Every structure is written in C-alpha cells, then in structure tokens.
Amino acid sequence: MSKEKIKVITAKIGTDGHYRGIEAVTRALRDAGMEVIYLGAGRRVEEVVTAVIQEDADVLGLSFLCGGHMQAMRRVMARVKEENLGHVLVVVGGIIYDDEIPEMKELGVAEVFLPGTPLKHNIVDYVSREVEKRRAFSEK
C-alpha cells in the first residue's frame, strides 16, 4: 500500500442543496486517513474540474439528489477527458436510477453508490482499493 495519502475532491454540482450524504461520505473518507476537500454545494462543472487539477486529486466524488445528474455528468466527464484526467477515480452517489448507471459507467464513472450504501465497508474500501490499483498501474 502506498504511503501517500489519497486526495479526494467532493462536491455537489448545480442547485441541489441536499448535502447530508456527501458530508457523511466526506467525513468517512477523512476518518479513513484520506485528504478530502469538500467544495460544498452549488458548484459549477468548471470549478470542480479545476479543483481536481489544482489539488492533483486521486478521486472526484459527486453527489446528486435532485435530477439533472446525467447532463451534469456528461459535462464533467467531457471536461475530465479534455484535461487528460483519466487517472482520476470518479465516483457518484445519490438518487441515480438503475437504468442510468450503465450510461454513467460508459461515460467513465467508476462506481455509483446509491442511498444506504455502507460508508466504511463499501465506499471507503472501494476508493482505497481502486486508488491503490491505479497507483500501482501508473508505476509500471
């Protein structure tokens, strides 16, 4: 396991003001020893992608509860590709319909966590494991 802390950017894009879930995830990742920067709610796609670049983040975590997430994620993933951030693990949580998950993954979202997903044994462990895999692959 790498000794370098995993760096995570979390945020909510648009006017969705439901923040309880993203704050719980942010706290769980931080409690697990990760460096987490929570940008808050009401962020724009460009702000989020810029923060990922400036902070050299390993992970981008976004949460959606009020719709508009497919349009937002199409814009986010297009910007991620334009900026050559394919090494960044992008995860999404919130109210995402089952039939939208395949499209999210086709866009490049690594995983979608629905409400009620256990924080420690699912989200934290997944992020830790996937970042370690990506770091190991980039060292080869």
Side-chain angles (χ1 to χ4, degrees):
M1 184 172 187
S2 173
K3 293 181 182 180
E4 187 178 333
K5 272 189 170 186
I6 295 172
K7 190 176 271 190
V8 182
I9 300 289
T10 59
K12 293 189 69 70
I13 292 175
T15 57
D16 182 352
H18 298 87
Y19 53 85
R20 186 173 177 183
I22 191 80
E23 288 187 356
V25 170
T26 295
R27 190 174 323 109
L29 296 172
R30 200 173 283 150
D31 289 349
M34 297 179 201
E35 182 179 342
V36 186
I37 300 168
Y38 174 48
L39 300 178
R43 296 299 176 176
R44 295 173 187 256
V45 168
E46 198 57 39
E47 290 176 295
V48 171
V49 173
T50 298
V52 168
I53 295 166
Q54 289 175 341
E55 297 298 331
D56 193 23
D58 300 294
V59 182
L60 171 60
L62 298 169
S63 171
F64 299 94
L65 288 176
C66 291
H69 48 276
M70 292 307 301
Q71 297 90 339
M73 287 312 299
R74 286 184 197 109
R75 293 190 345 252
V76 168
M77 297 313 293
R79 289 293 295 130
V80 163
K81 288 178 182 147
E82 287 170 10
E83 296 293 342
N84 295 315
L85 298 171
H87 60 286
V88 175
L89 181 73
V90 179
V91 294
V92 172
I95 306 292
I96 310 295
Y97 296 112
D98 289 342
D99 62 345
E100 296 170 327
I101 293 172
E103 183 179 347
M104 287 255 189
K105 292 192 173 185
E106 284 177 26
L107 291 171
V109 172
E111 193 57 79
V112 176
F113 298 103
L114 301 178
T117 301
L119 295 174
K120 169 72 178 111
H121 296 294
N122 284 62
I123 299 173
V124 170
D125 290 348
Y126 176 82
V127 167
S128 298
R129 185 177 58 250
E130 290 304 314
V131 169
E132 290 303 320
K133 280 186 203 172
R134 288 169 186 241
R135 286 180 175 173
F137 181 76
S138 69
E139 291 172 2
K140 290 181 182 179

